[in-house]
């Protein structure tokens, strides 16, 4: 079984595993870096890490078009239902659940989570997915550096997806420290170059990571994929 990871730009991610399309933080309309349109993107399940507009994005419309359930923290799942989404699944930090596509655990994230309409978005989260063929993917989404990333790394991470944009999340220096804590086999940088405020030199970051750790860095362009 191959697993395919796609970066759609910013923090919007696609994961194909066991025939399922998992769509994460689908901020596509109004995202200058987006490589797909919300009415074309595939989704069997939609994951939302926190309430900010650049993560909730087009999740509600895509859920309505595809019938895909929205999986998020309890507060965002409940909010999605008030927006007319029929199927949701609420989890919370540290809690895992065996979905058809794998075992998904919500991890800590140091960030905010208010929803675009001012509703309480609960606590922000990252995602730790164990696929049905045993691969582990950690999608940190928006977060600052925290020492418990070491605990996440102890699970044995095949692919880590980390923000490097700075200002709203970890910047390159802290993201390098995160790689040292997590020790993933592979890392993909995200949440940079969407706007001037989060402009970063990803190839330069990749050189530093590969010089100082054993982790392989995959710098993707929006729309590009890797298989693992
Ligand atoms: Ni955010
Ligand atoms: Mn963000």
């Amino acid at each position: 079984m191959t697993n395919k990871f796609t970066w759609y730009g910013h923090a919007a991610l696609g994961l194909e595993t066991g025939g399922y399309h998992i769509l994460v933080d689908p901020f596509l309309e109004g995202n200058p870096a987006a490589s797909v349109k919300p009415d074309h993107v595939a989704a069997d399940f939609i994951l939302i890490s926190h309430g900010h507009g650049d993560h909730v994005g087009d999740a509600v419309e895509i859920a309505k078009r595809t019938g895909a359930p929205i999986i998020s923290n309890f507060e965002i799942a409940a909010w999605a239902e008030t927006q007319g989404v029929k199927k949701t699944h609420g989890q919370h930090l540290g809690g895992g659940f065996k979905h058809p596509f794998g075992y998904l655990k919500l991890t800590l994230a140091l960030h905010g989570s208010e929803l675009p309409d001012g509703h309480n978005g609960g606590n922000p989260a990252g995602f730790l997915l164990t696929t049905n063929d045993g691969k582990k993917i950690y999608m940190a989404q928006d977060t600052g550096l925290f020492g418990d990333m070491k605990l996440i790394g102890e699970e044995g991470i095949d692919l880590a997806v980390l923000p490097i944009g700075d200002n709203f999340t970890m910047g390159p220096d802290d993201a390098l420290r995160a790689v040292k804590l997590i020790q993933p086999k592979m890392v993909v940088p995200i949440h940079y170059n969407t706007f001037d405020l989060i402009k970063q030199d990803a190839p330069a970051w990749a050189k530093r990571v590969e010089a100082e750790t054993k982790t392989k860095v995959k710098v993707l362009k929006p729309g590009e994929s890797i298989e693992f």
Side-chain angles (χ1 to χ4, degrees):
M1 189 168 113
T2 44
N3 295 289
K4 187 174 165 190
F5 171 88
T6 305
W7 186 42
Y8 292 125
H10 199 57
L13 318 174
L15 195 63
E16 279 180 64
T17 181
Y20 294 104
H21 289 83
I22 322 300
L23 179 64
V24 183
D25 288 352
F27 167 50
L28 303 172
E29 199 61 58
N31 171 358
S35 65
V36 278
K37 285 282 174 200
D39 47 354
H40 287 116
V41 73
D44 297 309
F45 295 88
I46 300 167
L47 277 50
I48 304 175
S49 65
H50 66 287
H52 292 160
D54 61 321
H55 295 261
V56 174
D58 310 294
V60 167
E61 290 155 53
I62 298 167
K64 287 178 182 170
R65 173 176 63 81
T66 59
I70 287 185
I71 303 170
S72 189
N73 69 32
F74 180 82
E75 290 83 354
I76 293 174
W79 171 83
E81 286 185 16
T82 69
Q83 306 301 301
V85 174
K86 295 239 160 36
K87 284 183 274 177
T88 67
H89 183 105
Q91 296 186 211
H92 238 300
L93 300 183
F97 184 79
K98 179 80 182 76
H99 294 279
F101 57 85
Y103 183 78
L104 180 74
K105 196 151 84 173
L106 264 57
T107 64
L108 295 189
L110 292 183
H111 199 67
S113 186
E114 189 175 89
L115 284 152
D117 64 5
H119 271 85
N120 171 23
N123 287 311
F127 298 108
L128 177 56
L129 174 65
T130 309
T131 62
N132 291 329
D133 64 345
K135 290 279 176 13
K136 297 237 188 204
I137 303 125
Y138 170 47
M139 296 170 278
Q141 305 309 97
D142 285 13
T143 186
L145 179 68
F146 56 92
D148 287 355
M149 285 180 175
K150 186 172 188 302
L151 296 178
I152 295 169
E154 282 171 8
E155 297 213 17
I157 304 298
D158 294 287
L159 170 64
V161 182
L162 301 179
I164 66 162
D166 219 349
N167 194 74
F168 300 113
T169 68
M170 294 190 284
D173 292 348
D174 279 354
L176 170 58
R177 295 168 74 194
V179 172
K180 290 177 181 175
L181 290 172
I182 301 161
Q183 298 182 22
K185 287 201 186 101
M186 251 184 332
V187 65
V188 172
I190 62 163
H191 213 277
Y192 68 97
N193 287 4
T194 323
F195 316 105
D196 282 347
L197 196 54
I198 55 173
K199 217 164 170 51
Q200 297 297 340
D201 184 342
W205 182 74
K207 274 194 192 136
R208 290 174 66 198
V209 172
E210 293 192 345
E212 295 185 37
T213 74
K214 293 196 179 91
T215 299
K216 284 287 312 160
V217 185
K218 301 281 184 187
V219 175
L220 301 178
K221 292 190 181 76
E224 277 186 346
S225 301
I226 47 168
E227 292 192 353
F228 62 100

